[in-house]
Amino acid sequence: MVEYPCTYCNGARVVENRAQQLQACPICEGTGFEPGEERFFTYIYQVTLTALQVLLNQRIVTNGDADFRIKLNTHGHGRLSHPPIQQRGTVLFKLGRGGTNDRVRDSLIFGDGSLPFIVVPHIFIPKGGSIGFDLEDVSNANNTIQLAFSGAKVYPPRRA
């Protein structure tokens, strides 16, 4: 990730307040770097799993225009499917780097449109990188799922 020096504190990480005391820069929160401009974005992955099927090393390749921060995980996505896909059964999900190391039930790491699963800390994906994961159906039935990785594309800060 490219880091840009904060234009408010000039990368010094601190500024002088009205009482002439040093405090952490309120713009960069004391990092010395601007966080960049965030724009909400969602990457969607849809697949139909057959009974007990395992799909290893699935990938969503991110666009090359900006870094991406995964902030929310949800099942289904009403804007793409009307009505939203109703998932049946259980899928075990393993998110690669920056996520889980073992497969966990999708309901423990994915919410829905009204109550998304908040990812803290956010998972950073560099531009042109990929979101990698494994899927395993344990419901013993065919299961169409739609996973939504929501967050922010991060663009360089605008320069005056």
Side-chain angles (χ1 to χ4, degrees), residues 44-160:
I44 303 292
Y45 182 86
Q46 182 173 318
V47 66
T48 299
L49 296 170
T50 58
L52 306 176
Q53 183 179 14
V54 176
L55 295 176
L56 301 175
N57 302 316
Q58 301 303 293
R59 298 222 172 276
I60 298 173
V61 177
T62 62
N63 298 338
D65 64 332
D67 297 329
F68 184 67
R69 291 181 186 137
I70 300 175
K71 297 183 174 191
L72 304 168
N73 291 333
T74 58
H75 277 124
H77 198 264
R79 292 186 312 173
L80 293 181
S81 57
H82 298 284
I85 291 173
Q86 297 298 312
Q87 181 169 326
R88 301 178 315 275
T90 301
V91 174
L92 296 182
F93 179 84
K94 176 183 174 184
L95 183 63
R97 181 191 63 134
T100 60
N101 293 324
D102 296 314
R103 291 186 188 142
V104 297
R105 291 185 180 274
D106 55 344
S107 60
L108 298 176
I109 197 167
F110 281 87
D112 59 31
S114 61
L115 187 60
F117 181 87
I118 300 172
V119 179
V120 176
H122 307 313
I123 299 173
F124 171 77
I125 308 293
K127 62 182 171 183
S130 63
I131 303 167
F133 49 92
D134 295 345
L135 297 171
E136 178 182 358
D137 179 78
V138 292
S139 67
N140 203 20
N142 290 349
N143 198 5
T144 298
I145 61 170
Q146 189 177 67
L147 305 175
F149 299 90
S150 298
K153 284 188 172 187
V154 184
Y155 294 92
R158 291 184 187 175
R159 298 291 180 194

